[in-house]
Each structure stands twice: as C-alpha cells, then as structure tokens.
Amino acid sequence: ALSHQPIDQWMRTMAMISLAGVADVYNMNLPHNLQLYVHPEDNKVLVFPWDNDHAFYHLSTSPLLGSLATTNLSKIIDLPHNRRMFYGHLLDLINTSYNTTVLAPFIENYTRLTKFETLETFFNNYINNRVDFVLSELDNVAPQIPFEITTNNGEDFEASNTIVTIEGDGWIDVHEI
C-alpha cells in the first residue's frame, strides 16, 4: 500500500519505473521527466511519473536502480533505509500489480486497440522476464531472512508504557509493524 510519507512514495514510484523499464526518466539514463508536487500544508514534495512513452525500453535484465551515477537521485536511493524500501516496493509491486495475471486485461485491451497482434506476446514476455530477473536480483542483494523480534530474546513481555520500542530482523517484505 502507498504510504503518505514522501520518501516512501518516491521509492515506490522509482520501483515502478524500474519494473516497467522506462528509459526517459530520472535514474534510468535521462535525468528528467518527473512531476514534483509540493504539498501546501507541510511543504513535502511528492513525485509523479511523467512522459513514460519509453516504457518497456530497457532490457528486462537492466539494473534495478538504473544508471544512478548520472543523477542526484542516486544519493537518495542509495541510503540504506531507502534502498531497502525500494527493494520492498519492487517485491510488493510484483506480488500485487506488476505481473501478467493482474495486467492481462490491460495487455489484451491495448493489443486490441492498437491491432498489433504481437504486443500481447511482447508484454507477457517482457513482464515475466523482468519479474524473474528482479526476483533473482533481490535474492542477491537482499538475501531472505526470517522475521523475528529480538527484544527480550524473542520472548513475550509486558510493559506499562503505551509506547514500546522493539527490535528484530526482517526481510524487505516487512514494511511496517
């Protein structure tokens, strides 16, 4: 689910851009084509993809983070907390929306509207290959670890405070508790 926190929203947007192989946008070779919205109440900046006509452009095996060396955005994505969030969003998007099962109606409709019979095969192959590649990369950069609470050695405990800090370990699929 999309968070109201701007950095989380930025990482989710960048994850979707990465999955779709968009070329003409920040962190994917050409540092432009993003719309920024400054929320008037708190001055936090949200990012919205723009001009994605170069989607499905990169190879399905292109790097997850694009060519970060060419943009200032790399400094944001490269922070460990943000990179973990980015990886988590890749996994979540694959599990919820970026897969051929969910996208089948779009693919079928787009193929019908354009009358390009090969589009359905192209989209299905690209999406399946991209998903396989991204999942493989995630296993390499973020090996799976089981979720566990380590506070009090993982044993139950009681506290009289309304706020308690707990510590533990979790993979990129743990977004919040």
Side-chain angles (χ1 to χ4, degrees), residues 147-152 154-159 163-169 174 176-177:
F147 175 78
E148 77 175 325
I149 294 174
T150 57
T151 301
N152 197 41
E155 299 296 321
D156 292 347
F157 66 95
E158 293 183 24
I163 297 175
V164 177
T165 301
I166 60 172
E167 293 182 353
D169 298 311
V174 179
E176 63 185 13
I177 298 175

Side-chain angles (χ1 to χ4, degrees), residues 1-6 8-9 12 46 89 175-176:
L2 182 62
S3 169
H4 66 281
Q5 298 299 321
D8 193 43
Q9 187 264 342
R12 190 166 187 87
L46 300 178
H89 283 302
H175 187 73
E176 63 185 13

Side-chain angles (χ1 to χ4, degrees), residues 5-19:
Q5 298 299 321
I7 195 68
D8 193 43
Q9 187 264 342
W10 278 70
M11 294 304 105
R12 190 166 187 87
T13 300
M14 294 300 114
M16 189 62 222
I17 287 169
S18 174
L19 285 171

Side-chain angles (χ1 to χ4, degrees), residues 77 100 106:
I77 296 176
T100 54
F106 163 79

Side-chain angles (χ1 to χ4, degrees), residues 25 39 81 96 157:
V25 70
H39 195 276
H81 177 75
T96 59
F157 66 95

Side-chain angles (χ1 to χ4, degrees), residues 108-146:
E108 291 167 10
N109 189 49
Y110 195 66
T111 301
R112 183 183 54 78
L113 288 173
T114 61
K115 296 180 173 56
F116 289 115
E117 295 173 12
T118 59
L119 276 183
E120 187 169 1
T121 301
F122 169 79
F123 281 129
N124 284 322
N125 287 341
Y126 187 94
I127 292 165
N128 285 328
N129 290 338
R130 185 68 175 154
V131 165
D132 289 346
F133 176 76
V134 169
L135 292 176
S136 171
E137 287 295 293
L138 290 177
D139 282 340
N140 290 332
V141 297
Q144 293 189 31
I145 57 172

Side-chain angles (χ1 to χ4, degrees), residues 79-94:
L79 296 170
H81 177 75
N82 295 346
R83 187 175 287 236
R84 182 183 188 284
M85 230 187 298
F86 176 82
Y87 292 152
H89 283 302
L90 287 170
L91 182 65
D92 182 60
L93 287 165
I94 288 169

